[in-house]
Amino acid sequence: MNKILLLIDKLEETGELSLEEYEFIIQNRTAEIAEILAKKAVELRQKYYGDDVFTRGLIEISNFCKNDCLYCGIRRSNKAADRYRLTEADILECCDEGYELGFRTFVLQGGEDGYFTDDVLCSIISKIKVKYPDCAVTISMGERSYESYKRLYDAGADRYLLRHETADKEHYQKLHPSEMSFDNRIKCLYNLREIGYQVGCGFMVGSPYQTAKTLAKDLKFIETFKPDMCGIGPFVPHHDTPFRDEKAGTVELTCFLLSLIRIIHPRVLLPSTTALGTIDPRGREKGVLSGANVVMPNLSPVSVRKKYELYDNKICTGEESAQCKNCLSMRMNSVGCKIVVSRGDINKERS
Ligand code: SAH
């Protein structure tokens, strides 16, 4: 207990710990320590963001994917997946609805679908930016070339989400087929940063073969890369993937890591994810009480929501966007926070 608290003091003072120290904290955590960390994390969240929770309207634009990630329900080998892609008109309609509801960030996420060439995506991005210049556009469409990222950026994309999935190369290889490369994924994150995007990385908690050692590397990566956003959520098995019989991640460890990440990088934009809400009915509230400050309600047309099934029992697939937004609004109020109408950029000034 004392040793962990001393390490946390050191982290707060110097902004860094060694891999062994992170590993020690993860391995020796207790409910009591988690509570102390959550309190510190919430104080830091309040210092930089008050009680504001930022929202992002998530539009799941395609579930076609050329990749075969072993954990993911929309992997190309899943023949049972009912594939769809949204048209430009569909996507713009989602933005119209989202704008009305107060969203000022739209996240276009999807599998690595060859249909979404640079030309197609640039046209969509620039149309959104012309219509809604006060909004941020975030892309989350996987690995692309430097030139491709640059073109999307020049068309108006502001942010890019690309979870690194794990910062341990061997672990990465156990989660992905051999044609996918850890080095390329990390390279993509650095390319995005160089181009000028606000960049988000992240990982699943409790993914198969994850250990305190691999998690320590994730924390070290966050400490050094200093992403603008960091998406973490529990791994949840999908019944049509090789990991169907693996155990899901826990709320406890996810919340503990959310608090640690807030302490490592106090200004980071940290979502309380849908996956966390899936494994616990109050998961997203618990995430905010552990230091998260972003929620990403679903803005996809209800007709496709069930098809974007990355994992089993995903929540919020039946309601209209307005219902989702209201439900989350009430949930955030229940933990003393409020959803705000704002682009919700990272706080680089106030302290
Ligand atoms: N194709 C994009 C978007 C992937 S989906 C990309 O490569 O970035 C977004 C995230 O969902 C993934 O990065 C992964 O971390 C998460 N995810 C996928 N399958 C999951 C599962 N079974 N349980 C929990 N999260 C999962």
Side-chain angles (χ1 to χ4, degrees), residues 71-72 109-110 142 162-163 165 185 204 234-236 310-311:
Y71 44 84
C72 184
Q109 186 178 83
L162 185 78
R163 290 186 175 183
E165 310 297 359
R185 195 129 185 122
M204 291 176 288
F235 160 74
V236 183
L310 307 178
Y311 47 82

Side-chain angles (χ1 to χ4, degrees), residues 6-161:
L6 286 174
L7 288 175
I8 297 298
D9 285 346
K10 179 173 162 192
L11 176 60
E12 286 184 301
E13 269 165 39
T14 65
E16 59 183 36
L17 290 178
S18 69
L19 284 173
E20 292 70 29
E21 288 168 331
Y22 282 127
E23 191 183 346
F24 181 88
I25 294 175
I26 293 164
Q27 248 163 357
N28 296 284
R29 71 188 190 279
T30 60
E32 213 182 340
I33 299 276
E35 212 174 294
I36 296 170
L37 255 59
K39 191 161 170 277
K40 283 184 189 286
V42 167
E43 277 168 17
L44 287 167
R45 163 166 68 67
Q46 286 169 333
K47 175 171 171 191
Y48 292 106
Y49 298 102
D51 290 321
D52 293 355
V53 170
F54 298 137
T55 56
R56 298 9 180 144
L58 180 65
I59 309 172
E60 299 154 331
I61 69 174
S62 171
N63 72 350
F64 283 90
C65 193
K66 71 173 170 61
N67 287 333
D68 220 13
C69 308
L70 276 76
Y71 44 84
C72 184
I74 64 168
R75 66 200 299 268
R76 68 159 186 265
S77 297
N78 181 8
K79 299 286 178 279
D82 185 2
R83 306 286 171 175
Y84 76 90
R85 66 171 64 93
L86 300 184
T87 63
E88 180 174 287
D90 294 333
I91 297 167
L92 292 170
E93 214 173 285
C94 292
C95 295
D96 292 340
E97 190 181 355
Y99 193 87
E100 282 294 305
L101 290 170
F103 293 107
R104 294 297 176 266
T105 292
F106 301 116
V107 181
L108 311 188
Q109 186 178 83
E112 291 194 19
D113 177 357
Y115 169 83
F116 285 99
T117 57
D118 296 345
D119 285 343
V120 171
L121 274 178
C122 286
S123 159
I124 297 169
I125 294 165
S126 52
K127 288 199 171 100
I128 299 174
K129 294 294 283 195
V130 166
K131 197 154 185 203
Y132 299 115
D134 52 337
C135 291
V137 172
T138 304
I139 306 295
S140 178
M141 298 290 290
E143 297 171 32
R144 304 173 78 95
S145 67
Y146 184 98
E147 293 67 36
S148 170
Y149 287 149
K150 177 86 172 81
R151 284 198 58 197
L152 306 184
Y153 184 79
D154 291 340
D158 304 272
R159 311 187 184 127
Y160 205 102
L161 301 179

Side-chain angles (χ1 to χ4, degrees), residues 238-259:
H238 183 287
H239 61 278
D240 282 321
T241 63
F243 289 162
R244 62 177 67 81
D245 296 323
E246 301 288 338
K247 278 210 299 284
T250 63
V251 180
E252 179 271 320
L253 183 53
T254 306
C255 286
F256 187 81
L257 291 166
L258 283 170
S259 298

